[in-house]
Structures are given as C-alpha cells and as structure tokens.
Amino acid sequence: EKRAVTQIEKNGYPDSIYINAARIFQGIHTAKDKDRMLVRYGDNSESPMMAFKDEHSRRLSYELAFSALKYQDLLEQILLDSNAYPCYSIPDELTSLLVVMLYDLQDRKFQERNIFDEEELVAEVQEVGQYLYRYITKLAAALARCRIKHDALSIEYFVPETIWKQEQRASALPVCVWINTFKISLEDVIKDLEMKGLTKVESVSDFDHYTFAVDQHCRDVLVFPSSLREELLNLDLFADGKLLLQ
C-alpha cells in the first residue's frame, strides 16, 4: 500500500508547511543595510520547526522558502505599496511568515486556500492568513502596479539575474538520487522503477525521457533526466524515504 503524500495543486499548503518554510526563510533571507531596511524580520532563530510529515513535505517547505527568497524584494515592495506593512498587530518575528504566505497567495492568483483534511492548524498561520485576506485587493493592485511599471508579463521578470542564470544551469543537469540502502536494495529500486514504466540504460548518453542509469562510480546513486524531476519527487519511494534527492 502506498503512503499518501501531500498533494498540492495551487490550493495552498497545510499550516505546517508555511510555518516550516517561514523558519527556513528566516535563516536565508537577504539582510538589508539599516538605512535600506524598510521591512524588519525580528529574531526567532530559537523557534523550533514542526516535524515534517514526510520527505515530500520537507521538499515543499524548502521550495516555498526559496521561492520567497527569489522574490524577496518584490514581496517586500508589495507589502509596503499596499500599506499592509508595517502591521502593528503582527510582530516582527512573524514577518518571515507574512512574506512566505504572500508569495503563495500571489502564486494562487489571490484565491483562498483549501483547508486540508485532518490538518493541524497553527495559530500564527491562521492569524497571518486572515490579515493578508483583509488586504487582498490592495495586495493584488500593488503587484499589478509593479508589473505595469516594469512592463513585466510575469513575476519571473523580477528574479535577480544571478539567480536566473543559476536556475538555467541547474535545470539542465541530470537528477542524482541516493538509494537509502537501510530501507531498500538497488535491485528492488530498479524493479519498482521498471514497474512504473521507466527503463534502465547504461549511461546518461543513452537517456530518453523515461529512463535512468546507475552511477558508474557509486552503485548507491541513480541518475535521471532533468525532465523527470517533478514526477520523481511524487513517487512513493521518496515519500517513504527509500530514495533521497542529492
């Protein structure tokens, strides 16, 4: 029986994903000089993260945090232009959560998110979510004004050039995956993947779309075409911790 993983289709995330993404973002956000610091992030470095439900949830948390980081300047500008910030009802320690949830809100085209079955609600996430919804029209208008000002067809325009170049390079690289040999053998992984319609080939030079190869130097590593990244990460092999993205 396959374990259920958290499936996200632009309907938002469970509260635990937001809170963990905010903790991650707090540690990686770009700190501005004091004379340029219009948005303050406080210090909640000692706040613990919630336990990840599974490997998929861990990945979603990190993806959301790094997406917010990519657009940090834009998100801060939206908060300021909409007068949603400064917000005296929300302490600086929750600014990271505010930014992370704003990224997701605009990614959902400012539509309300779903509440997931059996979801553990987190008071801070509920508070920040309700605050953003009160400003939802002003936030959407602030983003529209920013795009018009820069003649930007999408928010991809606002990704810093250095990050954009890194992403272009990374997207072309093969995907390397560790086999957790404490949970599964190489032979069983190969059998499972072939049952799912993938074909084992000798090397990356033989790659087609639904193919994979065993690393020639390390038998615990599998290599896949970059085009398979998203499909791979939704496999139960990842949810069960049997495969780990390198």
Side-chain angles (χ1 to χ4, degrees):
E1 182 181 351
K2 296 181 180 180
R3 278 181 54 191
V5 296
T6 308
Q7 296 294 331
I8 304 299
E9 298 178 356
K10 302 287 186 178
N11 292 327
Y13 300 86
D15 285 12
S16 60
I17 301 289
Y18 290 113
I19 207 75
N20 283 337
R23 298 281 189 270
I24 297 165
F25 179 79
Q26 177 72 20
I28 62 174
H29 76 274
T30 304
K32 309 285 178 65
D33 295 332
K34 286 190 176 179
D35 58 341
R36 295 177 55 236
M37 189 186 298
L38 299 177
V39 176
R40 300 183 181 278
Y41 287 90
D43 180 17
N44 60 354
S45 56
E46 297 182 0
S47 299
M49 295 181 71
M50 297 182 67
F52 293 108
K53 178 182 175 183
D54 49 41
E55 187 62 29
H56 189 65
S57 297
R58 180 193 298 272
R59 179 175 66 89
L60 290 174
S61 298
Y62 276 92
E63 283 185 354
L64 181 55
F66 277 91
S67 293
L69 177 65
K70 274 202 312 185
Y71 298 102
Q72 179 181 333
D73 288 345
L74 173 63
L75 297 168
E76 290 179 354
Q77 194 62 52
I78 293 171
L79 287 171
L80 293 166
D81 287 353
S82 65
N83 293 320
Y85 190 92
C87 41
Y88 301 105
S89 63
I90 296 178
D92 290 348
E93 287 72 24
L94 292 182
T95 301
S96 288
L97 183 59
L98 188 71
V99 170
V100 161
M101 292 188 72
L102 174 58
Y103 170 79
D104 177 60
L105 182 62
Q106 68 76 34
D107 196 41
R108 287 183 282 111
K109 311 299 182 187
F110 297 95
Q111 300 297 311
E112 289 194 25
R113 72 183 180 100
N114 290 351
I115 299 298
F116 292 80
D117 292 339
E118 301 179 7
E119 176 183 348
E120 179 183 351
L121 300 181
V122 179
E124 294 90 341
V125 174
Q126 296 297 308
E127 177 186 0
V128 170
Q130 290 168 12
Y131 180 83
L132 287 171
Y133 289 138
R134 289 204 298 271
Y135 281 86
I136 197 164
T137 302
K138 292 182 178 180
L139 291 166
L143 174 58
R145 286 194 299 272
C146 202
R147 287 177 55 183
I148 291 170
K149 178 181 178 181
H150 295 278
D151 196 24
L153 294 177
S154 74
I155 67 168
E156 293 292 327
Y157 172 90
F158 299 98
V159 177
E161 185 176 3
T162 53
I163 294 178
W164 183 83
K165 287 181 177 179
Q166 289 172 359
E167 288 187 334
Q168 291 297 108
R169 287 196 294 269
S171 65
L173 294 174
V175 178
C176 294
V177 171
W178 287 100
I179 300 172
N180 184 352
T181 53
F182 291 105
K183 292 189 173 184
I184 195 169
S185 66
L186 169 63
E187 292 74 18
D188 286 342
V189 170
I190 291 174
K191 187 184 302 181
D192 192 301
L193 291 172
E194 289 179 340
M195 286 177 62
K196 290 178 168 62
L198 281 79
T199 302
K200 179 177 173 292
V201 295
E202 290 303 312
S203 71
V204 296
S205 60
D206 300 318
F207 274 174
D208 195 356
H209 184 50
Y210 287 104
T211 52
F212 68 96
V214 178
D215 188 279
Q216 296 177 353
H217 305 288
C218 181
R219 301 288 293 176
D220 293 342
V221 174
L222 299 179
V223 188
F224 298 83
S226 59
S227 58
L228 279 179
R229 176 183 295 268
E230 289 304 315
E231 291 181 65
L232 287 173
L233 292 173
N234 284 318
L235 294 177
D236 54 310
L237 288 169
F238 279 90
D240 292 335
K242 295 175 181 177
L243 292 183
L244 303 170
L245 185 66
Q246 184 174 338

